[in-house]
Amino acid sequence: MKIEIDDKHIKEAENIFIGGKPFDEERINFIKKLDTCDLLAVPGSGKTTALIAKLYCLSQKLPFTDGSGILVLAHTNHVIDEIENKLKIHCPHLFEYPNFIGTVQSFVNNFLAIPFYENKNKKRINRIDDDFHDYCLNEVILETFSANKNLKHIYRTPNIPWKYNFELSNTPNQIINLETKERIQISKPRGRSKNYIDWDDLTKTKVEENLYKIKLNLLKNGILNYNDSFFFSRIYVNKYPQIKIILQKRFKYVFIDEMQDLDESQIKIIDDIFFSENSKTIIQRIGDINQSIYSSGKKIKVECDWKPRKIEYLKSSYRLTEEIACLVNGFTLDPQKDENKNPRFVVKGMNKLEKNIKPNLILFNKDTTGEQLQQKFKDLINANNLLECEENIKNGFKIIGWSTVWDKDEQKQSKDGINKIRLKDLFTGYSKESKAKKEDFDCLKKHLQLFDQEKHTLEAVRKSILNSFIRILRFEDIYFDLETKKHFRKSTLIVFIKNQGEEVYNNFKANLFHWCFYLVTKNDYENIYKKVKEYISNIFIKWNWYNEENYIPKIINKSTDFINSVNYQFIEINKKETIEKKEVKCEINIEVSSVHSVKGQTHCATMYIESAYKKPVYETNKLNKQTKKNPLFFQNHDCNKPTGKEAIKMMYVGFSRPTHLLCFAVLEDNINAEELLKFENDDRWNVDKKLIELN
């Protein structure tokens, strides 16, 4: 029986999700469409809202007569959380069997990698996580090679391909370099392979005998990175193709949001399962190929791995004004031109303001400070009365940049001795790690500060503190099961503490609550760090970990550097606070972030600061040298050079965030007099050529 979306359910979705306003024709067509297709949606088009409305309407048809369900996938947990937060209260059955809503990684883990691994090895997976895997890999390698300084040096050599980015080949004693796809022999073959790495020549030892064992031991202990999960999944699908038929019958509809962020391996495995010749599964993939800026390593993804098919379009942006949309259009890397060279992917700004606000061009020089730039941004926010609009309370203000911090192997200074600028140079309190929601860090202080601060409960910091304790136990070779060398997890650590007696457990709970409360509510990092450090040294490490009869209390030994955290100083982290309307005029809260971190976000006002990355160095340099049609002058670019395309993509993402005010801060040296005059004569820009002065 063919399923159709009812107008009645669309009306219900309008009342629930968009305040009773009607969906336009583009969105209704997409909501009703239940055939395999790809949806290309412009920034601010409300594509996820349209998907949520479609899911709501479909959920009213559940359960399907054939017992199948709906599969909803996205690249990040952020989108999955948004879908769950908006839908679960209205259709909780959508989050029950046979349906599944999660990230592509969680789907691959749960339906492919974990069943295959656990069935094959007759044991559970410990953890699938890149950071945790790399931490364990580092520990094992350094421990294995610690006795030999030459081996340590070789391990730290950057051209060693196995350090992080490799996976096991189906061929014994062979690994695959994931960046180059090169197969590398890691034990000496009978003949001399050109890809063989002669470790004996480098170290006069048999390092190659350890490499395969190290990785294999991690896998045997159930410690996998994300690539390992896809590796096992590919084996599962290839070896047991009947799993594809099972999954096709399980899921009648597959919806994938953020499609532009999926890499080739993710796209391929989903297509292998659901897009076969005989598959009856309906697949709809949703995204914007022009926003595909995620990639492995430091590179920006210029060419999107997703190749759209059977394309539908959402062109209307309800986030962007006509003024900003007109500028953003010139930065569209792939406008999907038809046979007559006319673009089919066009950003139409539908956001109507009481007063039009032009994009603002702001000049600064090498002596300008982040504080001065921020003050200029605040002045423009006040001048346009943005503190009084609802979008301020809902979406806030952001200062963003492409390049944020300097890696150790990068040259901050140009050949002529002039320092190049990134966000960290302007805003010294900026921390890349504070924006990443990691679970494991390389020192105790980071665990106490860089937890997920967007959570409004104590749970995130509690997990982070427990993770730091578990890491200390790993450093000190204290195991949950000494015989099997099985490490503690958060759950088993809590069980162990409970077994120490009610007094010990209650004392630990009280301390943990105190630490969490003061870290979250008071930002009292230094004081709590001292208390946690003291507790670890005087109480935690001295417990009788193996219930020995003649126990000699342990002392901190191998984890000293981790606990002392000498290379990290607590930083001031910008927290977005809830502001009551009556208090809005008193304070302007501005967060500093990378372009990558704000993708998918909506801001009331955005300041994009150009920054140094490769050559030509700054965004304006790249546009001037690599395109004859400069999109800053509202022209559709004609760039065909990789670094120029990278800049165009980043600016497309960054410029398309604000509902009201867009500012572009440019280094004075990067705009000559002729270009500046051109900006001034273009009435679509507001130009402030006066160098910023601190008020």
Side-chain angles (χ1 to χ4, degrees):
M1 179 180 175
K2 186 176 181 180
I3 295 175
E4 293 183 352
I5 300 293
D6 299 336
D7 289 337
K8 181 185 81 167
H9 294 140
I10 292 178
K11 188 67 178 175
E12 291 172 0
E14 290 171 345
N15 291 329
I16 294 170
F17 303 117
I18 58 172
K21 298 176 183 177
F23 285 114
D24 63 15
E25 186 178 353
E26 277 185 335
R27 282 146 194 80
I28 287 178
N29 289 340
F30 168 67
I31 292 168
K32 286 189 170 184
K33 189 173 183 61
L34 294 177
D35 301 318
T36 292
C37 70
D38 284 356
L39 180 72
L40 296 186
V42 303
S45 60
K47 61 181 178 60
T48 302
T49 300
L51 173 60
I52 287 170
K54 183 197 287 269
L55 292 172
Y56 171 83
C57 295
L58 265 180
S59 73
Q60 306 309 306
K61 306 291 184 179
L62 291 171
F64 298 143
T65 54
D66 60 1
S68 64
I70 300 170
L71 175 63
V72 184
L73 302 175
H75 181 254
T76 63
N77 283 310
H78 173 75
V79 172
I80 296 302
D81 290 343
E82 181 182 355
I83 292 171
E84 183 172 341
N85 291 338
K86 290 183 177 179
L87 274 174
K88 200 165 189 177
I89 190 172
H90 302 290
C91 36
H93 51 292
L94 185 60
F95 297 83
E96 300 170 355
Y97 181 89
N99 311 298
F100 181 85
I101 298 178
T103 63
V104 174
Q105 185 70 56
S106 67
F107 168 76
V108 168
N109 291 351
N110 286 290
F111 287 89
L112 300 171
I114 293 174
F116 177 74
Y117 178 96
E118 295 185 349
N119 185 58
K120 182 176 182 294
N121 296 287
K122 309 302 179 189
K123 63 183 293 186
R124 295 186 63 184
I125 282 181
N126 184 323
R127 196 157 162 188
I128 302 175
D129 180 78
D130 278 354
D131 290 333
F132 185 70
H133 169 275
D134 292 349
Y135 155 64
C136 295
L137 182 65
N138 269 323
E139 271 201 294
V140 175
I141 289 174
L142 289 176
E143 185 177 326
T144 304
F145 296 165
S146 61
N148 190 313
K149 291 182 180 179
N150 290 328
L151 293 182
K152 268 191 175 181
H153 172 71
I154 295 302
Y155 159 65
R156 296 189 185 280
T157 302
N159 62 0
I160 303 300
W162 50 267
K163 184 178 177 185
Y164 297 129
N165 297 317
F166 80 90
E167 66 179 23
L168 298 180
S169 166
N170 288 328
T171 305
N173 297 328
Q174 195 179 74
I175 59 176
I176 300 172
N177 184 331
L178 291 174
E179 291 188 2
T180 65
K181 307 300 182 187
E182 179 184 35
R183 291 177 177 270
I184 301 169
Q185 200 72 28
I186 59 173
S187 65
K188 194 169 184 177
R190 291 182 180 177
R192 174 68 82 177
S193 166
K194 68 177 182 179
N195 290 334
Y196 170 63
I197 298 177
D198 194 344
W199 299 103
D200 286 338
D201 291 346
L202 292 173
T203 65
K204 305 305 178 186
T205 61
K206 294 185 178 179
V207 177
E208 72 276 6
E209 293 181 4
N210 291 315
L211 299 182
Y212 193 83
K213 292 177 182 177
I214 289 171
K215 179 64 180 178
L216 199 60
N217 281 335
L218 285 179
L219 294 178
K220 285 181 177 179
N221 288 320
I223 300 170
L224 282 63
N225 61 25
Y226 299 135
N227 285 319
D228 294 330
S229 178
F230 278 90
F231 175 65
F232 284 123
S233 297
R234 289 195 297 272
I235 295 175
Y236 189 16
V237 171
N238 292 333
K239 195 170 183 179
Y240 303 103
Q242 58 267 37
I243 188 61
K244 295 194 283 188
I245 298 171
I246 294 171
L247 290 172
Q248 288 169 14
K249 289 183 177 180
R250 164 83 180 265
F251 299 113
K252 186 180 187 71
Y253 296 99
V254 176
F255 302 101
I256 311 169
D257 201 359
E258 301 181 299
M259 191 66 199
Q260 74 279 345
D261 296 328
L262 271 60
D263 61 34
E264 186 178 4
S265 63
Q266 294 172 312
I267 296 168
K268 188 175 186 305
I269 200 161
I270 293 169
D271 271 0
D272 282 351
I273 295 169
F274 296 110
F275 198 64
S276 62
E277 187 176 345
N278 298 320
S279 174
K280 294 182 180 179
T281 300
I282 304 299
I283 308 176
Q284 295 189 353
R285 308 183 299 177
I286 304 160
D288 179 358
I289 54 177
N290 299 290
Q291 294 193 61
S292 58
I293 59 176
Y294 291 118
S295 184
S296 60
K298 299 175 186 175
K299 295 181 180 179
I300 307 300
K301 187 185 290 184
V302 173
E303 297 299 328
C304 185
D305 289 341
W306 170 34
K307 307 304 176 189
R309 58 198 177 213
K310 300 180 180 179
I311 304 173
E312 302 284 330
Y313 296 96
L314 288 186
K315 301 177 184 178
S316 299
S317 174
Y318 290 91
R319 174 195 302 155
L320 303 182
T321 61
E322 185 178 352
E323 290 80 9
I324 296 177
C326 188
L327 178 64
V328 169
N329 256 318
F331 290 88
T332 304
L333 190 63
D334 181 2
Q336 294 281 299
K337 292 181 180 179
D338 60 21
E339 60 276 5
N340 298 318
K341 306 295 183 182
N342 296 316
R344 290 173 292 188
F345 187 89
V346 180
V347 185
K348 297 179 180 179
M350 305 297 287
N351 183 16
K352 305 297 182 183
L353 305 179
E354 291 183 10
K355 178 186 175 184
N356 294 343
I357 303 176
K358 299 176 186 178
N360 279 259
L361 184 76
I362 298 167
L363 299 184
F364 69 101
N365 62 24
K366 297 288 175 63
D367 297 322
T368 305
T369 66
E371 184 183 359
Q372 291 170 316
L373 278 167
Q374 191 175 60
Q375 184 59 54
K376 183 65 179 180
F377 192 31
K378 289 181 179 180
D379 292 343
L380 288 168
I381 289 169
N382 280 318
N384 288 284
N385 298 317
L386 297 185
L387 288 176
E388 299 175 0
C389 71
E390 291 183 6
E391 283 79 3
N392 164 37
I393 299 169
K394 182 179 177 182
N395 301 315
F397 310 115
K398 292 282 181 79
I399 292 176
I400 62 174
W402 175 359
S403 301
T404 55
V405 299
W406 293 96
D407 293 335
K408 292 179 181 178
D409 60 340
E410 292 182 306
Q411 295 296 319
K412 182 177 177 180
Q413 207 171 65
S414 59
K415 291 182 179 179
D416 56 6
I418 298 175
N419 284 337
K420 295 178 284 188
I421 293 176
R422 291 188 173 176
L423 278 189
K424 180 71 173 179
D425 302 307
L426 294 166
F427 304 94
T428 55
Y430 175 84
S431 168
K432 196 171 183 178
E433 282 186 292
S434 71
K435 308 298 179 184
K437 297 169 185 177
K438 295 171 61 175
E439 290 191 359
D440 294 289
F441 299 98
D442 58 14
C443 69
L444 177 60
K445 283 185 177 180
K446 288 182 181 179
H447 276 274
L448 299 181
Q449 183 173 48
L450 303 184
F451 53 90
D452 184 358
Q453 303 226 10
E454 291 182 11
K455 301 287 186 184
H456 298 298
T457 67
L458 304 184
E459 183 61 22
V461 65
R462 177 183 179 276
K463 285 182 178 179
S464 192
I465 292 173
L466 291 176
N467 281 333
S468 72
F469 281 21
I470 289 167
R471 191 153 187 181
I472 289 167
L473 295 177
R474 281 179 168 271
F475 276 120
E476 301 296 344
D477 298 322
I478 297 173
Y479 299 95
F480 172 64
D481 188 322
L482 184 59
E483 185 176 341
T484 62
K485 297 293 180 73
K486 187 174 182 179
H487 291 285
F488 275 94
R489 304 171 75 169
K490 289 191 287 291
S491 58
T492 53
L493 177 59
I494 294 299
V495 170
F496 172 84
I497 299 173
K498 284 182 178 179
N499 290 338
Q500 302 310 298
E502 187 175 354
E503 183 179 350
V504 171
Y505 180 57
N506 287 339
N507 177 263
F508 176 77
K509 281 200 304 180
N511 277 294
L512 185 58
F513 175 81
H514 174 84
W515 302 331
C516 294
F517 181 80
Y518 277 87
L519 288 172
V520 170
T521 64
K522 307 293 185 183
N523 298 341
D524 193 5
Y525 302 117
E526 285 289 357
N527 188 39
I528 297 302
Y529 166 66
K530 292 175 183 176
K531 290 180 181 295
V532 173
K533 184 178 177 182
E534 183 180 350
Y535 184 89
I536 291 169
S537 299
N538 296 338
I539 299 175
F540 178 75
I541 197 65
K542 295 183 178 180
W543 285 332
N544 188 348
W545 292 97
Y546 300 126
N547 196 28
E548 297 168 337
E549 187 172 343
N550 299 312
Y551 174 65
I552 300 175
K554 292 180 178 293
I555 59 171
I556 292 298
N557 184 13
K558 296 180 181 179
S559 57
T560 301
D561 290 343
F562 173 83
I563 294 171
N564 288 341
S565 312
V566 292
N567 293 323
Y568 183 76
Q569 300 298 321
F570 288 121
I571 58 175
E572 181 180 344
I573 294 180
N574 237 341
K575 284 188 174 182
K576 186 175 180 180
E577 300 174 359
T578 303
I579 305 173
E580 298 292 338
K581 280 190 176 181
K582 62 182 180 181
E583 298 175 335
V584 161
K585 293 183 180 179
C586 300
E587 181 64 29
I588 302 178
N589 191 46
I590 298 173
E591 186 176 345
V592 179
S593 302
S594 68
V595 174
H596 280 92
S597 68
V598 301
K599 194 168 81 68
Q601 293 182 6
T602 298
H603 310 152
C604 178
T606 307
M607 173 182 275
Y608 185 116
I609 301 175
E610 69 170 347
S611 52
Y613 181 73
K614 292 185 178 178
K615 290 183 179 179
V617 180
Y618 295 94
E619 285 92 326
T620 46
N621 303 147
K622 292 176 171 70
L623 296 181
N624 286 335
K625 295 180 180 180
Q626 298 192 352
T627 179
K628 293 179 181 177
K629 297 179 179 179
N630 192 331
L632 287 172
F633 298 118
F634 299 86
Q635 300 172 316
N636 294 324
H637 78 90
D638 57 358
C639 181
N640 56 13
K641 298 288 181 65
T643 53
K645 287 183 176 181
E646 290 173 349
I648 283 168
K649 271 199 168 185
M650 297 300 288
M651 296 172 83
Y652 174 87
V653 172
F655 283 7
S656 60
R657 298 307 99 203
T659 57
H660 287 62
L661 171 66
L662 171 65
C663 302
F664 181 38
V666 181
L667 266 172
E668 180 191 31
D669 295 344
N670 295 339
I671 292 186
N672 59 39
E674 182 182 347
E675 289 167 339
L676 184 57
L677 183 62
K678 194 172 180 179
F679 275 113
E680 290 179 301
N681 290 335
D682 192 329
D683 62 3
R684 292 168 292 186
W685 279 101
N686 278 330
V687 180
D688 189 337
K689 63 180 181 179
K690 180 185 177 184
L691 290 178
I692 295 171
E693 296 176 357
L694 184 61
N695 291 339

